[in-house]
Amino acid sequence: LYVASASGEELGLVSEMGPLRDLLVDPQGAIKVLLAHPDSAELRRTCEGYALDLGYVRQQIVERTRWLLREGNGRCEVRWYLSPPAFRIVATSAVMHFAPLVEGAGGSAAGSSVLEHGSPFYESAMRWFEGVWVSAVDAAHELEWAERDVLRNRAIFLDRDDTLIKDMAYASSHRDAPVVILPGVVEGLQRLSMAGYRLIVVSNQQAVGINAQTHEDLGLITQHIKAAFDEHGIHLDAFYYCTHAVTQQCNCRKPKPQLFLEAARRFCLDLAGSHFIGDADSDRDVAIHLPQMRVHVVDPPRGFAAVVEEILSSHPL
């Protein structure tokens, strides 16, 4: 049996050929399963193109991989590859089931097909599979990494200006002012990341809404900020911005919950195990909209390091 898919969720297609568990316990033959690498840029693009939840798909890939390796009794080999296509294959030596990743999705005109061994398309698809298989990575060796990264379901939500860095809210470009990381932030984020938290920035940037800054300016400034933290080995998972002016009365401006909920859906986060760190009194109101999440405000008597200590003490590993 050969299986290729851009999503662990799509292993359900095997049900067309009988229960996968029966195939795994059958002593005849070996099984090769080829899944998208959870950290693949192509997987992210595929999920965005088909409106799939990236966090959910990544979790499914890891969980299905672990299950296959455990239940396969040494007969099932799983590899992860970096360039998943927008289709899936389930094939034996006699027949192949070939289908688009998402039935009926926009831009996917092809329907499901059943191809017999010996047909030109069958042979071409199998050559593709074997070629990719050689260059894919052994999923069993990657699972330890995946446990640390892909399955992180807690986050530290972070205000940007005057919490992580010196205020850059109205800089017209990244050249106007250098990124100045505030005291205690580097060490604190390193500790939080090591503790298994994702690091997600949620920030109001109304300079765009009042035409003091363009979306392009904000994008370049964000890249500059990410690079500054990358130099310290700190990966900021995502930036969520409200770019509306206060007078526009939008639904995404902090302390409203929309941006937090979008991030929670994307990364499959447990908000009850997550925290928000801000610097303004208005940031405390996040707790009104998301009472299950702890909110912390950095102020002069209690710096960033003290807040980190408080978080790690309240939610130990």
Side-chain angles (χ1 to χ4, degrees), residues 160 168 170-180 213-214 216-227:
R160 197 190 80 175
M168 294 182 68
Y170 290 90
S172 61
S173 78
H174 68 284
R175 297 182 183 87
D176 281 0
V179 174
V180 178
Q213 192 180 82
T214 67
E216 290 75 14
D217 292 333
L218 181 58
L220 289 172
I221 289 169
T222 301
Q223 291 180 26
H224 201 45
I225 293 169
K226 290 174 68 175

Side-chain angles (χ1 to χ4, degrees), residues 40 47 58 63 71 75 88 92 97 103 112 115 122-123 134 141 181 186 188 201 214 240 249 252 273 301 305 312 316:
S40 165
C47 288
R58 295 175 82 196
E63 290 171 5
E71 300 293 325
R75 294 176 42 253
R88 60 185 184 267
T92 66
H97 293 255
E103 298 284 358
S112 299
L115 306 169
Y122 180 103
E123 299 300 331
V134 173
H141 293 161
I181 302 174
V186 168
V201 176
T214 67
Y240 286 84
Q249 299 182 339
C252 58
L312 294 178

Side-chain angles (χ1 to χ4, degrees), residues 94-169:
V95 66
M96 173 188 297
H97 293 255
F98 180 89
L101 176 61
V102 179
E103 298 284 358
S108 176
S112 299
S113 301
V114 179
L115 306 169
E116 294 184 358
H117 174 71
S119 69
F121 193 84
Y122 180 103
E123 299 300 331
S124 175
M126 291 311 299
R127 283 195 299 271
W128 169 85
F129 184 98
E130 292 295 348
V132 174
W133 182 262
V134 173
S135 60
V137 298
D138 185 345
H141 293 161
E142 295 283 294
L143 277 175
E144 182 180 354
W145 160 83
E147 290 285 356
R148 291 197 309 268
D149 187 68
V150 171
L151 296 184
R152 289 189 295 169
N153 67 347
R154 302 184 300 176
I156 304 297
F157 294 99
L158 300 149
D159 178 51
R160 197 190 80 175
D161 300 293
D162 289 331
T163 298
L164 294 181
I165 62 172
K166 185 177 178 181
D167 193 346
M168 294 182 68

Side-chain angles (χ1 to χ4, degrees), residues 152 154-158 185-199 275 277 304 307-312 315 317:
R152 289 189 295 169
R154 302 184 300 176
I156 304 297
F157 294 99
L158 300 149
V185 169
V186 168
E187 298 80 1
L189 294 186
Q190 288 172 341
R191 294 183 65 195
L192 292 168
S193 182
M194 287 295 293
Y197 288 99
R198 292 190 180 277
L199 306 175
H275 299 255
I277 304 175
F304 197 91
V307 169
V308 170
E309 196 64 47
E310 182 178 285
I311 291 172
L312 294 178
H315 280 159
L317 287 176

Side-chain angles (χ1 to χ4, degrees), residues 158-163 167-171 200-210 213 218 222 239-246 250-260 276-286:
L158 300 149
D159 178 51
R160 197 190 80 175
D161 300 293
D162 289 331
T163 298
D167 193 346
M168 294 182 68
Y170 290 90
I200 298 174
V201 176
V202 178
S203 177
N204 297 331
Q205 296 294 325
Q206 77 156 345
V208 176
I210 63 174
Q213 192 180 82
L218 181 58
T222 301
F239 284 72
Y240 286 84
Y241 289 135
C242 168
T243 57
H244 300 100
V246 176
C250 64
N251 292 320
C252 58
R253 184 176 177 82
K254 274 192 304 108
K256 293 180 180 179
Q258 180 175 314
L259 298 182
F260 297 93
F276 171 60
I277 304 175
D279 73 292
D281 286 339
S282 60
D283 288 328
R284 300 182 194 276
D285 292 339
V286 170

